[in-house]
């Protein structure tokens, strides 16, 4: 079974080697899949996009974590045994957006709304090991915990902007108001943990900053912070067959009236609770209430102050070109900020099987994982409607134990 | 394979669509996945030395640090509280009204010459006719006049005098002298005679006084006076001016009265003053001269026949609290006519110090002096009082338990026992063998009171009430009966110790019984010389006569299978999030510097003491390395392990009690020595298969 799945993975990867990139934007999908210009006229575009990847965590583990809400010891062990190098990354997002563009001659106004959940981590693999398996398997070893960063945010937004279209160049921008419903950030500088045999003592050096909003309110009603961001983009049709485009997404800031911040910078050796007379030991040792004193002992400083943070976002540039009426090439280079991701390159090879149907094998490199292949389907049932389905689930479906990224997007555009 | 792919694809498509729908609207919070991993953490660390095992109060050490047990077990203890409460009989202080005063009362009546003339016939008419003229008044004998009415009912209705006087004063303002004046006073109501007096001669312009003795006489408020006879002496040959308004003035004055009974408006006055002593009872041969009450009451029952509000003060001048004498001021309402009224009072005298010599009336012991004062107040009302009226005071000192007493404290012989006195030194010992190189057993007696005693110890035995094993202690070395001296003062203690035995083998037998009680019999005699004239003794309730057993054992010993057991209350509900621990291993890491090796076991029980599970460390904590002198020289490390699964934890968390057992051995039968510096360093750690994040 394992061999079969690996062979299938190889086939899909080969197929995807000349794929076209796909993205959830109204200008470029028509261009990327059908070489059609959609820069004029009114339209409604919506998409849902889910992406997750890790250089250290396998799809098997992510699937368990996300869909079964548990990570089995076997998966954890296989994952940690497969670690290569000292550092791992993990990240992903889930977002949904809906945009409306008026059908102006040159200028159009645009409005939209949506949400995004974003998670990104750059962690020492020892931290993954500690999280997944605990410290007992690593007794008598020193685990490097930092430098590591972890980021998570969740927000909903409304945006309003303008788009200017000319024969060869279209550009636009929107100003977005963000309602932040969750925010968490962990910065762990040089830190380590040593566990003595039999747990006789635990020694750690920790330099940690942890920031978080509350999490008591449901996300839809929670409003822990407010953000203002700018989206701006362009498309330049350099020739009939070639277009360049670029985008800056969510360049701006988040403002929190009160952000819970905990700072810990300590070297600590724990040898167990000191009991003066063990003959008088009773169950009071296990009672609650020791946390406060432990925090004080460790030197944990906690504040809640107004803070401004850079909003998480990305910029990207892309190229879409056609070699013939049937075959094209899509390239995209994307860089996230505040998400612990490496630069990401996506290469897509759109194959126009008919006037209304295109398939695009693709390959994604970088980001939060090393490489991932995918396949996109674009279908125009009639002139005014475009449907796009993109999946990077093949390795996950076939060899989830040995793959580490997954992505799925559905989108649709209605022009009028 | 295709089925597999289809299922996974369907799953992920549904997940994506569901995710989008949820995240865009009322989506659920992302739940962090549960992760099962292994935590290895130290839990508890401690150092166990002999100081932790043996409390400071029973531990001593020599200059080398060799530890000894110096254990003292209380055998017998007796305090002053064992005396019976002291009481007085309810003694009656009958206080009759000792005096009743009404004060001086006077009434004045006048008779004019004209009135007399009118009552004297033709000769009287002559006098009236000469009014305003000078005329010769002839001698007129045998005149009478009356009655003269006097109304004192606004002051009294009736008075019977124990003593007193009524003065009759006649002022003669007639123009001639009077002679043979016979005057009587009677009660109007019954015409009873109060007194009759004769004035032989009252010259004109003078007055004369006669006095009636009122002793045993009853006087009413309404009186009448009659001049039964008087003679007008006449002016002789001289003419005298005749004025019919000239008056004969009669004054009745009651004075120096002592009222036997009266219905009167009495002025405010003291009517009772009674000074007395009361004797204590239940004293046996005790002769107390001073006592401070730990507790006690003065009961006061008052019966009054006085038909007026009685105010009384009851004082014990030499019964003081903070320098203030015991004093009661109360009032009792008027008794009904012919009846009585009763009131009962209770006063706490805790803390009062009483002089029990009875001074100033007597100078002895077991008595106290008290004062009673009664008075009535002026009310303006007519009340009926009599010297036969009384106020009866029933006074009792009740439940008087001294916290301090001085005097001769009595000769009391008490047989004690067979009694069992608990000994907790071996409370945790359940078996095995323990042999000390050297043991000393002695009896110590301390006396904190100023009373001498004699103590005769008849029998002493160690008993393990669980096993029934017993060991009798040979008392032949004890110089019975033991003479116990008196303490010199309140803050000093008389104490002496007598060796009972130093036979190590015998005493090891006693110890290996692991006695939990000592049974004993003894006789205790206070004041064996019965010197009852010695009133300088003292006793304080909190001061004791104590007898102790002293056991001293240097910790140079050998042990074999010595089992110590302790029961600990345990509440598993206090353990935080235990359900997340699936299984694991507990490690007990020991660095043993004690010359003993040990094994440990804990057994968990529910509320009804049904066994749930046990925690047994399979291997033993090894002894420290020991040299030829029995001294520990090198620490030995041991790691004891106990593997458990969640079911074990679940059982532990249901537990209400834990019985902890530890078994100790020395490596050989050669004795080892335990020094104060020897210690066992312990770390309890755990490797837990822990499930994070499960809801």
């Amino acid at each position: 079974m394992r061999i079969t799945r690996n062979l299938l993975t190889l086939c899909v990867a080969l197929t995807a080697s000349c794929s076209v990139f796909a993205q959830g934007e109204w200008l470029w999908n028509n261009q990327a899949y059908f070489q059609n210009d959609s820069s004029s006229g009114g339209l409604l575009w919506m998409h849902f996009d889910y992406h997750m990847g890790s250089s250290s965590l396998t799809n098997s583990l992510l699937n368990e974590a996300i869909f079964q809400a548990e990570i089995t010891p076997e998966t954890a062990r296989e994952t940690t045994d497969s670690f290569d190098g000292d550092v791992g990354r993990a990240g992903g997002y889930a977002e949904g957006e809906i945009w409306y563009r008026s059908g102006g001659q040159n200028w159009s106004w645009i409005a939209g709304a949506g949400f995004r959940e974003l998670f990104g981590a750059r962690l020492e693999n020892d931290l993954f090991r500690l999280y997944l398996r605990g410290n007992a398997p690593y007794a008598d070893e020193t685990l490097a915990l930092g430098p590591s960063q972890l980021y998570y945010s969740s927000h909903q937004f409304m945006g309003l902007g303008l788009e200017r279209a000319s024969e060869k160049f279209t550009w636009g921008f929107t100003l977005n108001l963000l309602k932040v419903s969750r925010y968490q950030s962990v910065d762990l500088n040089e830190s380590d943990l040593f566990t003595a045999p039999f747990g006789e003592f635990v020694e750690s050096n920790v330099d940690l900053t942890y920031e978080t909003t509350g999490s008591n309110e449901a996300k839809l009603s929670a409003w822990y912070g407010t953000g203002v961001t700018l989206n701006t983009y362009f498309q330049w049709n350099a020739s009939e067959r070639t277009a360049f485009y670029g985008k800056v997404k969510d360049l701006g800031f988040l403002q929190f009236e009160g952000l819970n911040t905990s700072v810990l910078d300590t070297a600590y050796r724990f040898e167990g609770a000191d009991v003066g007379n063990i003959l008088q030991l009773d169950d009071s040792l296990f009672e609650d209430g020791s946390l406060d004193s432990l925090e004080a002992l460790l030197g944990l400083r906690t504040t809640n102050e107004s803070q401004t943070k850079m909003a998480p976002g990305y910029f990207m540039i892309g190229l879409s070109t056609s070699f013939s009426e049937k075959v094209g090439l899509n390239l995209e280079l994307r860089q996230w900020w505040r998400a612990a991701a490496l630069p990401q390159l996506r290469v897509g090879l759109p194959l126009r099987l008919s006037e209304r149907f295109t398939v695009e094998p693709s390959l994604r490199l970088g980001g939060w994982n090393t490489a991932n292949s995918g396949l996109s389907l674009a279908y125009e049932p009639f002139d005014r409607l475009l449907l796009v389905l993109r999946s990077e689930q093949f390795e996950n479906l076939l060899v989830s134990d040995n793959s580490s990224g997954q992505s799925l997007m559905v989108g649709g555009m209605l022009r009028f | 394979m295709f089925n597999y792919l289809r299922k996974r694809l369907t799953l992920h498509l549904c997940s994506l669509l569901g995710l989008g729908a949820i995240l865009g609207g009322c989506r659920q919070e992302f739940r962090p996945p549960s992760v099962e991993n292994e935590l290895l953490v130290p839990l508890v660390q401690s150092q166990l030395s002999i100081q932790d095992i043996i409390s400071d109060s029973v531990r001593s050490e020599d200059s080398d640090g060799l530890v000894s047990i110096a254990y003292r077990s209380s055998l017998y203890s007796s305090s002053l509280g064992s005396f019976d409460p002291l009481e007085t009989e309810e003694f009656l202080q009958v206080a009759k009204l000792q005096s009743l005063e009404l004060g001086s009362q006077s009434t004045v009546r006048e008779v004019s010459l004209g009135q007399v003339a009118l009552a004297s016939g033709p000769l009287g008419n002559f006098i009236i006719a000469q009014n305003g003229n000078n005329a010769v008044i002839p001698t007129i004998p045998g005149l009478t006049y009356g009655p003269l009415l006097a109304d004192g009912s606004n002051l009294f209705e009736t008075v019977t005098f124990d003593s007193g006087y009524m003065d009759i004063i006649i002022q003669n303002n007639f123009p001639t002298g009077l002679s043979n004046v016979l005057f009587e006073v009677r009660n109007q109501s019954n015409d009873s005679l109060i007194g009759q007096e004769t004035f032989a001669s009252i010259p004109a312009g003078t007055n004369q006084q006669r006095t009636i003795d009122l002793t045993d006489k009853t006087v009413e408020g309404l009186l009448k006076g009659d001049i039964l006879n008087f003679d007008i002496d006449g002016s002789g040959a001289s003419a005298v001016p005749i004025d019919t308004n000239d008056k004969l003035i009669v004054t009745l004055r009651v004075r120096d009265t002592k009222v036997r009974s009266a219905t009167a408006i009495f002025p405010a006055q003291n009517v009772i003053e009674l000074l007395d002593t009361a004797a204590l009872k239940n004293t046996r041969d005790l002769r107390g001269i001073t006592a401070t009450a730990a507790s006690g009451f003065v009961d006061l029952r008052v019966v009054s026949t006085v038909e007026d509000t009685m105010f009384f003060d009851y004082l014990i001048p030499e019964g003081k609290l903070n320098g203030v004498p015991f004093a009661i001021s109360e009032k009792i309402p008027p008794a009904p006519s012919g009846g009585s009224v009763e009131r009962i009072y209770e006063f706490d005298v805790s803390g009062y110090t009483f002089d029990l010599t009875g001074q100033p009336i007597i100078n002895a012991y077991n008595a106290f002096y008290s004062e009673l004062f009664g008075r009535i107040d002026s009310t303006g009302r007519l009340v009926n009082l009599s010297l036969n009226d009384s106020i009866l005071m029933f006074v009792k000192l009740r439940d008087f338990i001294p916290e301090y007493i001085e005097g001769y404290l009595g000769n009391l012989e008490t047989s004690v026992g067979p009694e069992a006195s608990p000994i907790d030194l071996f409370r945790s010992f359940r078996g095995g063998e323990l042999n000390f190189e050297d043991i000393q057993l002695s009896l110590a007696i301390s006396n904190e009171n100023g009373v001498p005693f004699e103590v005769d110890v008849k029998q002493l035995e160690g008993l393990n009430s669980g096993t029934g094993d017993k060991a009798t202690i040979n008392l032949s070395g004890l110089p019975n009966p033991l003479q116990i001296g008196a303490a010199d003062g309140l803050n000093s203690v008389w104490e002496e110790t007598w060796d009972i035995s130093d036979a190590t083998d015998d005493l090891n037998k006693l110890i290996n019984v692991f006695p939990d009680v000592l049974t004993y019999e003894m006789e205790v005699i206070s004041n064996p010389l019965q010197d009852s004239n010695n009133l300088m003794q003292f006793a304080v309730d909190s001061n004791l006569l104590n007898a102790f057993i002293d056991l001293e054992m240097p910790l140079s010993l050998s042990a074999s299978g010595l089992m110590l057991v302790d029961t600990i209350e345990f509440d598993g509900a206090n353990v935080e999030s235990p359900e997340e621990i699936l299984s694991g291993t507990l490690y007990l890491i020991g660095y043993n510097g004690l010359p003993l090796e040990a094994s440990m076991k804990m057994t968990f029980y529910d509320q009804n003491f049904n066994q749930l599970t046990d925690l047994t460390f399979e291997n033993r904590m090894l002894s420290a390395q020991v040299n030829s002198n029995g001294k520990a020289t090198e620490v030995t490390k041991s790691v004891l392990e106990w593997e458990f699964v969640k079911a074990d934890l679940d059982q532990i968390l249901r537990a209400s009690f834990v019985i902890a057992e530890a078994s100790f051995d020395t490596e050989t039968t050669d004795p080892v020595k335990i020094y104060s510096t020897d210690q066992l360093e312990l770390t309890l750690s755990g490797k837990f298969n822990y499930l994070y994040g499960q809801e």
Side-chain angles (χ1 to χ4, degrees), chain B residues 635-656:
Chain B
V635 169
T636 302
K637 179 181 178 181
S638 306
V639 179
L640 282 60
E641 297 184 18
W642 175 64
E643 290 188 10
F644 64 90
V645 294
K646 185 166 178 56
D648 295 319
L649 273 189
D650 291 342
Q651 294 287 45
I652 287 173
L653 298 179
R654 287 177 52 209
S656 298

Side-chain angles (χ1 to χ4, degrees), chain B residues 79-279:
Chain B
S79 72
L80 182 62
S82 61
F83 285 99
D84 293 331
L86 300 176
E87 294 186 355
T88 61
E89 290 193 52
E90 184 180 72
F91 63 92
L92 173 61
Q93 291 188 320
V94 181
K96 287 191 174 184
L97 305 194
Q98 292 162 327
S99 65
L100 283 172
E101 294 179 357
L102 283 174
S104 295
Q105 307 286 345
S106 296
T107 184
V108 177
R109 290 293 179 266
E110 297 174 342
V111 180
S112 68
L113 182 61
Q115 288 173 306
V116 172
L118 279 175
S120 303
L123 196 52
N125 291 334
F126 167 77
I127 292 171
I128 292 170
Q130 293 302 314
N131 185 37
N133 300 322
N134 287 335
V136 173
I137 298 176
T139 299
I140 307 174
L143 296 175
T144 62
Y145 189 82
L148 298 171
L149 299 179
D151 185 359
S153 61
N154 60 331
L155 297 175
F156 59 90
E157 282 184 356
T158 178
V159 182
T160 300
F161 291 100
D162 210 31
S163 63
Y165 302 97
M166 179 185 284
D167 294 331
I168 304 168
I169 304 163
I170 299 177
Q171 173 71 39
N172 179 12
N173 292 329
F174 286 179
T176 66
L178 300 176
S179 59
N180 299 320
V181 179
L182 181 58
F183 189 88
E184 70 172 17
V185 181
R186 290 180 184 272
N187 291 317
Q188 280 189 45
S189 65
N190 58 9
D191 205 33
S192 58
L193 179 65
I194 295 170
Q196 191 178 69
E197 291 294 331
T198 300
F199 298 77
S201 173
I202 309 173
T206 67
N207 65 63
Q208 293 288 319
Q209 176 178 321
R210 294 292 183 272
T211 297
I212 299 172
D213 185 356
L214 295 178
T215 299
D216 299 332
K217 291 182 178 174
T218 299
V219 177
E220 295 179 346
L222 293 175
L223 299 174
K224 66 176 182 178
D226 282 294
I227 305 173
L228 299 177
N229 178 72
F230 66 100
D231 300 338
I232 294 176
D233 292 344
S235 60
S238 305
V240 293
I242 303 299
D243 183 348
T244 54
N245 288 325
D246 287 344
K247 288 180 177 145
L248 194 65
I249 301 170
V250 179
T251 300
L252 299 179
R253 184 174 67 199
V254 176
R255 63 176 171 83
D256 298 334
T257 55
K258 286 192 175 178
V259 177
R260 182 175 299 155
S261 65
T263 301
I265 298 171
F266 286 93
Q269 57 192 289
N270 290 331
V271 294
I272 295 173
E273 180 178 319
L274 187 60
L275 313 179
D276 203 355
T277 58

Side-chain angles (χ1 to χ4, degrees), chain A residues 102-371:
Chain A
S102 68
Q105 191 66 31
N106 296 316
W107 289 93
S108 301
W109 60 269
I110 50 181
F115 70 92
R116 187 166 72 212
E117 306 254 345
L118 175 66
F119 160 75
R122 182 265 184 216
L123 303 176
E124 290 288 330
N125 276 334
D126 280 351
L127 197 57
F128 280 120
R129 290 187 177 95
L130 185 63
Y131 172 69
L132 293 172
R133 299 191 61 192
N135 64 333
Y138 308 105
D140 210 17
E141 293 179 32
T142 298
L143 294 175
L145 308 181
S148 295
Q149 294 86 39
L150 189 145
Y151 177 87
Y152 167 70
S153 70
S154 169
H155 69 254
Q156 300 82 43
F157 73 92
M158 294 177 63
L160 194 63
L162 292 170
E163 186 175 290
R164 165 75 173 167
S166 62
E167 188 177 349
K168 287 188 175 292
F169 195 80
T170 302
W171 62 276
F173 71 90
T174 62
L175 280 173
N176 310 304
L177 179 67
L178 277 60
K179 176 179 82 68
V180 182
S181 50
R182 294 286 186 277
Y183 178 91
Q184 287 180 317
S185 167
V186 178
D187 266 311
L188 193 60
N189 296 325
E190 291 290 344
S191 302
D192 57 53
L193 175 75
F194 174 78
T195 304
F198 303 109
E200 191 174 350
F201 63 88
V202 173
E203 245 176 10
S204 68
N205 296 292
V206 178
D207 182 0
L208 170 77
T209 301
Y210 173 53
E211 297 169 328
T212 183
T213 59
S215 59
N216 293 333
E217 286 190 65
K219 285 179 182 173
L220 196 60
S221 59
W223 195 325
Y224 292 117
T226 303
V228 177
T229 64
L230 172 72
N231 294 350
T232 182
Y233 56 91
F234 74 92
Q235 177 175 322
W236 174 42
N237 297 324
S239 67
E240 280 192 4
R241 294 194 170 193
T242 301
F244 294 94
Y245 28 84
K247 180 178 182 181
V248 176
K249 172 86 168 178
D250 281 332
L251 178 64
F253 62 89
L254 309 176
Q255 172 67 30
F256 299 93
E257 286 306 309
L259 192 61
N260 302 315
T261 304
S262 300
V263 178
L264 180 64
D265 183 2
T266 185
Y268 187 66
R269 177 185 170 105
F270 182 57
E271 297 175 332
D274 196 355
V275 177
N277 186 347
I278 201 167
L279 298 179
Q280 293 172 4
L281 178 65
D282 59 25
D283 53 359
S284 62
L285 263 180
F286 303 102
E287 292 179 5
D288 291 339
S290 59
L291 187 59
D292 288 346
S293 57
L294 183 61
E295 288 172 346
L297 189 66
L298 294 173
L300 184 70
R301 302 186 300 280
T302 304
T303 59
N304 182 281
E305 294 175 348
S306 171
Q307 291 194 50
T308 302
K309 299 289 179 184
M310 190 174 184
Y314 61 85
F315 70 88
M316 56 154 282
I317 54 173
L319 164 67
S320 177
T321 188
S322 294
F323 304 124
S324 67
E325 288 192 355
K326 295 293 187 183
V327 180
L329 174 67
N330 292 327
L331 295 173
E332 177 195 294
L333 185 64
R334 179 186 297 216
Q335 176 64 60
W336 285 87
W337 60 79
R338 298 227 61 193
L342 294 170
Q344 174 184 287
L345 175 67
R346 184 177 184 282
V347 181
L349 188 68
L351 304 174
R352 295 180 194 100
L353 301 182
S354 71
E355 283 189 357
R356 296 193 180 276
F357 187 63
T358 298
V359 297
E360 181 204 33
S362 63
L363 180 68
R364 186 198 303 268
L365 301 170
W368 291 294
N369 59 338
T370 52

Side-chain angles (χ1 to χ4, degrees), chain B residues 472-537:
Chain B
T472 302
I473 299 169
N474 184 354
L475 300 174
S476 58
L478 205 61
N480 272 317
L482 309 174
Q483 299 303 317
I484 313 301
D488 290 337
L490 273 178
N491 298 316
S492 65
V493 179
W494 185 96
E495 182 167 0
E496 191 162 326
T497 301
W498 296 268
D499 288 340
I500 297 177
S501 174
D502 58 0
T504 301
D505 289 344
D506 288 347
L507 294 176
N508 267 323
K509 284 178 186 170
L510 169 69
I511 286 170
N512 279 288
V513 167
F514 303 130
D516 58 348
V517 291
L518 290 172
T519 57
Y520 62 93
E521 282 183 68
M522 60 172 66
E523 281 191 6
V524 180
I525 303 170
S526 63
N527 276 309
L529 301 178
Q530 301 183 35
D531 181 10
S532 60
N533 292 323
N534 177 7
L535 299 182
M536 301 300 290
Q537 296 178 356

Side-chain angles (χ1 to χ4, degrees), chain A residues 50 63 67 69-71 115 117 131 133-136 182 198 200 270 273 275 283 286-288 397 408, chain B residues 4-5 8 12 15-16 23 27 29 34 37-40 42-46 52 571 574 576 591 685:
Chain A
Y50 146 69
N63 290 336
F67 301 111
E70 71 165 332
I71 298 172
F115 70 92
E117 306 254 345
Y131 172 69
R133 299 191 61 192
N135 64 333
R182 294 286 186 277
F198 303 109
E200 191 174 350
F270 182 57
V275 177
D283 53 359
F286 303 102
E287 292 179 5
D288 291 339
L397 295 171
L408 195 62
Chain B
Y4 171 78
L5 285 173
R8 298 301 295 262
H12 289 86
S15 300
L16 178 67
L23 293 178
R27 58 191 187 276
E29 195 78 43
S34 61
N37 55 32
E38 293 178 307
L39 285 184
L40 181 60
L43 301 173
V44 173
Q45 61 152 336
S46 185
D52 300 314
D571 185 359
N574 286 336
E576 185 183 5
Y591 293 88
S685 64

